[in-house]
Every structure is written in structure tokens, then in C-alpha cells.
Amino acid sequence: MDAPDALPVQLARLAREESAPLRSALDLVHAALAQRSGVRRAEVLAHEGGELVVVARAGEPGPVPGECAVVPLRHGGTELGLLHLHGGDPEGVDPAVRAAVGHHLAVALRDVAAAREQAELHRVTDAVRRLFEEGARASSVEAAGRLMAAVTADVLGAERTAVMLVDPDSLVTHVLGIGLPEGLEQQLAASLVGRLARDSPAWRRAAAAGGPEAVDDVATAPVRPGGFVRTLGVRSYVSLPLMSAEGLVGTALCGDVTRRRTWTAADRALAERLALQGAVVVDNARLRELERAHLRQLEHRAFHDQLTGLPNRAALLGCLGDALDPVTGDGRVALLLIDLDGFKRVNDTLGHHTGDVLLQQVAGRLRELLPAGATAARLGGDELAVALPGPATAHAADLARAVHERLGQPYGIEGRAVRTGASIGIAHAPRHATDTTGLLRAADEAMYRAKRAGSGPRTAP
């Protein structure tokens, strides 16, 4: 087709056949105008981030002598970009052909922009979904921070990423990295953990801005020598403040070390979304940590004596039950029941505070003597017990003698030497009983015989 309307017809046909035919359309334009007007190169430039960027090129590479004609690419009254025609006599192109070329390339450029926008939307959506799905499984603040670093590095294509997290007092608690050389994460942690985050200029700017900060060239940014940015070694970076309802909980910093990078508007928008969602992930992980700590505390209180820290009666019964259960134990367990002699006298003459301190020191001595696998418990008042399951039952008598001797030694309490003794009864399962109640009864009877005899531990008959 050599007629003037051949090119518009070809472009219209191409638009029907391809969904986003920018490159194919530009090839057609260049081929036709090279033949008619001697055009040696055709380029499409699009407006991106306030700049004109070449998005498609056809024809000769390198410098082209001669004139350059510029054709605006408008769609719906908006200029989307420009068509540059280099060499030959581009001004001699028929105005109707120029208009058709401008229209078809503008439509193709719009489709390219729409496709990029859709791809960017998918990129953002995928990143947010990954943060939420994996963040819901993050078992700790550290795990959430590492996830944030990994997603940020992946989505923004950064060579290095580090996340700094703080506690409610703004003290740095974690520094976690992705893509860092060996030893750099430890170096960052050594220089930052335990310090106030506000000492970092990058942190202060992030807190003041309330949103991501993109720096194309670190040399132009007011960063501190030896600080977060300099130690990370990036030449350009994006800082993402992690803002929660309680304030700044951390910051993610990602960048490149091999090049200075120009961060696009799309990069900045994505960083803003990541910062918002990352803060939620870190905050939720912190709440889960606090909840688990609270549950552990409640569980500890349920099975431990608050004064001595020893397991309580419920814990001892559970230990005995496990040892006697044919599934969890082998049916063998020795029980030492201990009653402190003279404890009431200490309370009556020296006061309950001294009695409490005495019980705490008794508990400490018991812990020192316990063999592996044994459990010491406070049953209430001045009554204590030790359970030795399995093979340890063979050492019950030796342990009882050691406990009797150690608890009979004087205690130093507020400058006084306080003395008490211990009556100890020993019972074995299955020899004396095969259930918890029977074992407690046998040990209790042996303990009262020891108290009456006053000559050391007694074993149930």
C-alpha cells in the first residue's frame, strides 16, 4: 500500500488484532515514514513521574543527524506522551497521516499505561496479601520484622533491606536484614539495639514525615556517619515508617549498593502501602506475644506457689498422676512428704515476714538438692513434697537424708540465725500404693512417725 491512507488502515487493523500494540504500531509507522519521508528513527516518549521517558523505539540506534519532528500523543484531551521522528523530512508527512499516527499511538500508549497500572495494582495487592497471610502466622515481633524486610526487598527489588523495631519507650529492640553481607546484621544490631531510635536522623525524618522517604542519592541526604543508613551501605534508599495507633513501632529501609536509583511514583506509592500494612503486621505480632506471655503467666500462677515459686499441690498431683499412668509413666514413683518442725514458733516469735523468708530459703535449698526429673512442691503452710518418678525412686532414701540434713542447718534472715528442722516421710509406688490418694496417705503416715521419732526420715512400712 503506497496510498496516503494505507498507514492509518494498517494501524486500525493492528489495533483490532492486538490488545496493546505499541511496539508493533511504532514499527509500522517507522517503516512507512522511512519509505515516504526518509525518517530514520521513531521514538515514543511517555510522561512518567514528571519526566519524559522513552518507552518504545524503532529504527537506527545512536545519534541521527537532521531535524526531529514532535507529534503530541493525546487521548481524551490529555497529552500522554510524544512521538519523535528523527532524520529525513518528517515535516513533509501528510497532516492526515500524522493525525492518524498520533491517535493510534496515543491509544496504544494509553493501553500500555493501563496494563502497567494493572500490573502495579497486582504487585501491590500480592504484597499486601502476602504480608497479611504470612503475618497472621508470625509468632513474634522478630518474625514479623523479618517478613516485612523480605516482602519489601522482594517487591521493591532492593539489593539490601533492614528493619529496625522499637519498644514503647522507643528503644531499639531488633535490627533484621535481608540480602546483607555476612556479619552486617550483627554489626547493625550491635550499634543500634538498646539505643534510642530518635538518635537516628533517618528515624526522626520518618517520624516527622509520617510516610515513606525516598532518597535517590545518599550523598545529598543528612545521614549520620556510622548510623543506620551509612552502616547499611546503600547509595539510594526508601525509608518506610511503620506507624501504629500508638506511634512509630519501627522503620524498614531498603536500597541499592551498586547504583544510585531513581525511585518512581509507583515505587513511592507501593512503599506507602507496605508501610501501612507492615505496621499492622508488626503491631499484631506484638499483641500476640503479649497475649502468650499473659497466658504463660496465668498458667504459671495456676500451677505454682506465689511465695516460693515452687510448683503447687495441683502440679504435684499432675506429676504423680503422669508417673502412675500406664501411658505416660511406668508406674514407679517415690514421694517425700516434708513438714517443717518449729515453723509455727518462728512465725509467732519473729513474725510472718520472717516465716515467709524462711520458706523461700527452704525452697532454694530444695532446688539445689533435686536430681534431674524430680519435682519439689509446696502443698500449703509449712508442708512440702518431692516426687521422684521412674528410676530415680531408687535414690529416694539418700535424697531424704540429704534434705533432712540441709534443712536443719541455720538460716540467715535479717541478721538472725533462724533454725528449723524437717520431718520427712517416704512412700513408693507401686509398693505402698498404686494411686495418688493412697501414695499421699502412706507418705503422710510415714512423716508423722518421723516427727514422733525425731530421728530422721521414715519410709512407709
Side-chain angles (χ1 to χ4, degrees):
M1 276 189 183
D2 293 328
D5 62 349
L7 181 57
V9 171
Q10 287 177 310
L11 290 171
R13 182 183 301 120
L14 182 64
R16 290 193 299 271
E17 294 173 352
E18 295 188 21
S19 58
L22 178 62
R23 294 188 181 277
S24 301
L26 188 61
D27 287 338
L28 277 177
V29 169
H30 173 259
L33 298 186
Q35 182 179 3
R36 295 177 186 176
S37 307
V39 170
R40 297 168 64 179
R41 185 169 73 227
E43 295 175 329
V44 172
L45 295 83
H47 294 289
E48 292 185 3
E51 299 179 355
L52 277 170
V53 180
V54 176
V55 294
R57 179 181 286 124
E60 298 179 15
V64 176
E67 298 294 324
C68 173
V70 178
V71 180
L73 304 179
R74 294 190 178 91
H75 186 272
T78 302
E79 183 179 293
L80 304 179
L82 301 173
L83 171 64
H84 283 185
L85 301 173
H86 299 269
D89 182 22
E91 293 294 345
V93 179
D94 183 271
V97 173
R98 288 167 64 97
V101 166
H103 168 74
H104 283 287
L105 290 179
V107 171
L109 189 58
R110 178 207 63 185
D111 292 343
V112 168
R116 285 183 177 177
E117 187 175 320
Q118 189 67 24
E120 190 61 35
L121 179 60
H122 283 308
R123 187 163 70 123
V124 172
T125 303
D126 289 345
V128 171
R129 183 185 299 114
R130 180 181 171 191
L131 272 176
F132 271 112
E133 289 179 353
E134 296 185 29
R137 299 191 295 271
S139 59
S140 65
V141 170
E142 181 176 355
R146 287 201 181 279
L147 172 64
M148 181 65 190
V151 172
T152 302
D154 185 32
V155 175
L156 289 176
E159 294 172 350
R160 290 184 184 176
T161 300
V163 172
M164 179 167 64
L165 302 175
V166 301
D167 66 11
D169 297 321
S170 291
L171 286 174
V172 179
T173 58
H174 299 84
V175 179
L176 313 163
I178 296 292
L180 306 188
E182 185 176 357
L184 184 55
E185 182 176 320
Q186 291 76 12
Q187 182 183 344
L188 284 165
S191 63
L192 294 171
V193 170
R195 298 185 61 175
L196 285 170
R198 63 172 175 266
D199 290 343
S200 164
W203 179 276
R204 291 197 299 270
R205 288 197 305 276
E213 176 193 29
V215 175
D216 294 343
D217 188 354
V218 168
T220 65
V223 296
R224 184 183 61 182
F228 193 25
V229 175
R230 291 293 188 191
T231 305
L232 196 58
V234 293
R235 298 177 65 186
S236 59
Y237 69 87
V238 173
S239 175
L240 292 72
L242 307 178
M243 300 292 297
S244 76
E246 306 301 322
L248 199 56
V249 298
T251 184
L253 192 144
C254 64
D256 293 343
V257 296
T258 59
R259 58 174 176 161
R260 283 191 296 271
R261 179 167 170 179
T262 300
W263 300 100
T264 66
D267 290 332
R268 295 167 190 262
L270 180 54
E272 189 167 347
R273 287 290 303 276
L274 287 175
L276 289 172
Q277 307 304 336
V280 174
V281 169
V282 172
D283 240 8
N284 287 344
R286 179 171 284 127
L287 289 174
R288 284 193 291 271
E289 273 193 346
L290 291 174
E291 183 180 2
R292 284 195 300 273
H294 181 61
L295 289 174
R296 286 194 298 270
Q297 187 179 42
L298 291 177
E299 184 179 5
H300 186 273
R301 288 179 178 176
F303 293 100
H304 286 78
D305 173 58
Q306 297 303 300
L307 176 64
T308 63
L310 291 174
N312 59 15
R313 178 181 289 272
L316 178 74
L317 293 178
C319 177
L320 295 175
D322 288 343
L324 296 172
D325 189 294
V327 176
T328 57
D330 63 2
R332 292 181 297 163
V333 62
L335 176 63
L336 279 60
L337 209 57
I338 306 165
D339 187 77
L340 297 182
D341 299 328
F343 180 75
K344 184 176 183 304
R345 173 180 49 80
V346 172
N347 267 343
D348 292 344
T349 58
L350 301 178
H352 289 282
H353 171 70
T354 301
D356 289 346
V357 175
L358 173 61
L359 285 172
Q360 291 169 344
Q361 293 192 16
V362 167
R365 293 184 181 184
L366 271 181
R367 291 190 188 94
E368 294 171 1
L369 295 171
L370 284 186
T375 299
R378 182 188 177 200
L379 306 184
D382 61 349
E383 191 175 32
L384 302 103
V386 176
L388 294 97
T393 58
H395 306 292
D398 293 337
L399 178 62
R401 285 190 290 270
V403 169
H404 182 267
E405 179 183 355
R406 185 74 177 97
L407 297 189
Q409 295 171 358
Y411 300 83
I413 302 176
E414 296 180 348
R416 296 189 183 93
V418 178
R419 291 182 177 276
T420 186
S423 297
I424 304 174
I426 309 168
H428 290 263
R431 183 173 55 174
H432 300 117
T434 56
D435 64 298
T436 300
T437 302
L439 194 64
L440 284 167
R441 184 184 301 112
D444 190 57
E445 291 173 355
M447 183 268 293
Y448 276 107
R449 286 208 316 277
K451 187 177 287 290
R452 288 193 295 270
S455 59
R458 287 287 188 272
T459 301

